[in-house]
Amino acid sequence: MNFEVSETRKMIAESIRDFAKLHISPFMMDWDEKQIFPIDLFHKLGEMGFMGVLVPEEYGGSGLGYHEYITVIEEISKVDSSIGLSLAAHNSLCTNHILEFGNEEQKKKWLPKLASGKWIGAWGLTEHNTGSDAGNMSTTAVEDGDYYIINGAKNFITHGKSGNIAVVIVRTGKKGDSHGMTAFAVEKGTPGFTSGKKENKLGMRASETAELVFDNCRVHKNNILGKIGDGFIQSLKILDGGRISIGALSLGISKGAYEAALKYSKEREQFGKPISHFQGISFKLADMATEIEASELLLHKAAYLKNKGERIVTIGAMAKMYASEVSVKVANEAVQIHGGYGYTKDYPVEKFYRDAKLCTIGEGTTEIQKLVISRNILKE
């Protein structure tokens, strides 16, 4: 592995910092308080090439790799992790599923709209009674001539209301059969396809989370991604890359919270000197910095292997698990270093604290990551 940061990554980081100062920082607390999903912001991110980071240039994307992708998500999340979450979900789930498993006609039809930010993507696997146990989903698709009729609902879906297209995995075979599920791309406005309840969340409040509802929704066979019955297997592969996304999101939260705590500790004085001079604070900062470094190294190892086309099931799970747990720990310590001020909305750490927890849950809980890791290391 080459540990040198490329000029491309440096340019990406600088452009995002400039963009965030102008378009995110002044509005983020209002978005958070009112749970506003800023659609126009994502159109602007599309104009910058950040809505199709991994999409080849022939389909209107930036044609970059996973090291650059981590940088994009990390830098956005250092400022507002809810925007980072939506950007990650759009890129790594919906858009990437079409890129990985769509045919040429499907790629040409949908990827340019997604990569440009003109369209926002959603991805649906989770249901009300099937979170970690996604294989037992109840939403069904029944063949009807050249169409499939979809009935059921998906929940906890990022961009469930505002998405222009959703990739959904639904049951076309027997319940519990890993080869009995199929992926469909369903455009907004398709009869029988609507959105339901929008969730009122602890954190990540500017990232929209809602239900997808299917009521005798007729979807043409041309909208099937890959083969009938391969949907669940596809989703597991997509989640491998998605774990890099959530790891990058976690890393951004960790860095944002750490940098805020470091700055505050140098400015805040007690007993005649900055609190950073006290061992109780400086040791916290040392632990935070070390664990952030370890998170970053794990993530970029996963990115390195992903770029090479190698299997990343174990390392991806490790990176996601570790980085997400570190983000919770670092955000917690950042609040502690701020003392009473850390509990107020005058400082950014309270938002990092609320946002961080989702990283240990979304796209596979910490417990599921441990299950994946343990199964794989015991095979060796």
Side-chain angles (χ1 to χ4, degrees), residues 197-214:
K197 177 189 174 185
K198 180 180 176 180
E199 302 295 339
N200 185 7
K201 299 178 296 182
L202 168 71
M204 301 290 193
R205 289 167 62 83
S207 178
E208 179 187 274
T209 305
E211 287 179 309
L212 298 177
V213 179
F214 299 91

Side-chain angles (χ1 to χ4, degrees), residues 1 9 54 65-71 240-241 243-245 248 295-312 315-316 319:
M1 284 176 63
R9 286 175 59 197
L54 302 167
Y66 273 85
H67 293 298
E68 292 80 13
Y69 179 57
I70 288 172
T71 300
D240 283 342
R243 286 167 185 153
I244 294 177
S245 287
S295 297
E296 192 161 20
L297 289 169
L298 267 173
L299 277 167
H300 282 286
K301 181 175 181 181
Y304 170 76
L305 295 173
K306 183 70 174 173
N307 283 342
K308 290 179 66 181
E310 295 188 18
R311 198 166 180 263
I312 63 157
I315 191 66

Side-chain angles (χ1 to χ4, degrees), residues 246-263:
I246 300 300
L249 174 65
S250 304
L251 180 63
I253 292 172
S254 295
K255 286 190 174 183
Y258 165 75
E259 289 172 8
L262 182 65
K263 180 176 182 290

